[in-house]
Amino acid sequence: MKIETIQSKGFALSIILFPIMLLIGFLMHPDLIEMKTLNTAQNLADRFHNNNLYHIGHFIVMMAVPLIITGMIGILNRLQGKGKKYGFWGGVIGIFGAFILAVDKGALCLVMSAFDTLPENQFQQFIPYLDVIVQKAGLLWIVYFLPLLPLGAIIQTIGLIKEDIVHKWQGYLIITGLLLLNNPEIELISTVGSILMCAGYIPWGLKELVFLQNQPCINAI
C-alpha cells in the first residue's frame, strides 16, 4: 500500500473516530442530565470517586488527541485554495489546543485515578485538597487555553466550506457542535455538541473512505 493511501485512510478514519470517542467520553460522565457545574472540591470528588466509567471516559477522550491532531494536519494539507489560510491558522491554533486537551485529561484522568486508589478514610480527608485542581492552581492555569481547540477547528471548518469540501449543512453542524463544547463543564451540553460534530464529520469521513476504495477501479479504466 502506498504511503499516500495510508495517509488518506488514516485521515479519513481520524475524522470519523475522534468525534465518536469524544461522544463516548461525555456519555460516561455521572449525573449527565443534571447539568452540574464543576466548582467545588466535593463536586469533583463526587464525579470520580469509585467511578471507573468516569476514568475510562476521560482516558478515551485523552486518547482521541492523536486522532484530532491527525485530522487537523490532514485538513491543513487539504485546504490549498480559498481556504488555505483558514487551514493553516486553524491548524496551528487547534493543534496547540489539542495538546492542552491532553494536559487537561491527563490531570483529570491519570491523576484522579491514582487518587481514587486511596483507602476510603484517607480519601475523605484528602477531598478538601482537590480544590487546587478545581481552581486551576499552579501551572494548571494552562488549561484555560483549552478553547483554542474548538476555535482552531471552527476556523478550519470555515475553510472547508469555502472550498466546498464539505456541504454547508455539514460545516454548520460541526461549527455549532464545536461552539457548544465551550461551556462551563456541563457535560450534557458537551454531549449535544459532540453529537452534532458526529453528524458533520462522519459522513465526510465515510465519503473519503468510499472514494479511496473506488480509486483502484478508476485507475484501472
Side-chain angles (χ1 to χ4, degrees):
M1 187 181 294
K2 292 182 178 180
I3 187 65
E4 292 81 7
T5 303
I6 296 174
Q7 289 174 336
S8 297
K9 287 189 175 181
F11 167 65
L13 288 172
S14 293
I15 59 177
I16 291 171
L17 292 176
F18 91 75
I20 294 175
M21 294 172 73
L22 294 182
L23 175 58
I24 293 172
F26 292 132
L27 287 173
M28 296 177 80
H29 272 262
D31 304 320
L32 181 63
I33 63 174
E34 294 187 14
M35 300 186 70
K36 291 181 178 178
T37 59
L38 180 60
N39 50 27
T40 68
Q42 189 62 54
N43 289 155
L44 178 58
D46 291 341
R47 285 190 180 193
F48 78 83
H49 187 42
N50 294 326
N51 190 341
N52 288 330
L53 286 180
Y54 178 91
H55 299 307
I56 294 171
H58 274 199
F59 183 76
I60 291 172
V61 172
M62 185 176 67
M63 295 306 294
V65 170
L67 299 180
I68 293 172
I69 294 174
T70 299
M72 287 190 156
I73 292 174
I75 294 172
L76 187 156
N77 292 330
R78 182 68 60 86
L79 293 172
Q80 295 298 319
K82 293 184 294 184
K84 187 172 183 178
K85 62 181 179 181
Y86 295 92
F88 175 77
W89 290 112
V92 170
I93 294 169
I95 289 170
F96 180 74
F99 166 74
I100 301 301
L101 177 62
V103 171
D104 178 65
K105 296 311 171 190
L108 293 180
C109 167
L110 304 181
V111 175
M112 295 297 100
S113 67
F115 289 155
D116 215 15
T117 64
L118 292 170
E120 187 62 29
N121 62 327
Q122 292 184 26
F123 183 84
Q124 293 301 322
Q125 296 173 9
F126 178 73
I127 288 177
Y129 298 103
L130 292 173
D131 189 61
V132 295
I133 294 178
V134 176
Q135 301 303 324
K136 309 293 189 298
L139 294 179
L140 273 178
W141 58 264
I142 192 70
V143 302
Y144 285 118
F145 287 98
L146 186 56
L148 292 179
L149 173 54
L151 174 61
I154 288 171
I155 293 171
Q156 285 197 324
T157 304
I158 293 172
L160 293 171
I161 295 173
K162 283 184 172 293
E163 292 195 13
D164 295 321
I165 293 176
V166 299
H167 296 295
K168 286 185 178 180
W169 65 266
Q170 288 176 290
Y172 296 153
L173 284 176
I174 292 170
I175 290 172
T176 303
L178 289 164
L179 288 172
L180 289 177
L181 294 186
N182 279 321
N183 67 79
E185 299 192 60
I186 299 175
E187 305 308 331
L188 182 60
I189 297 176
S190 298
T191 301
V192 173
S194 61
I195 291 172
L196 295 178
M197 290 169 60
C198 286
Y201 278 117
I202 293 175
W204 176 32
L206 293 174
K207 180 181 177 182
E208 294 281 334
L209 286 178
V210 170
F211 174 78
L212 289 169
Q213 193 69 27
N214 293 332
Q215 276 296 91
C217 299
I218 295 174
N219 294 334
I221 294 176

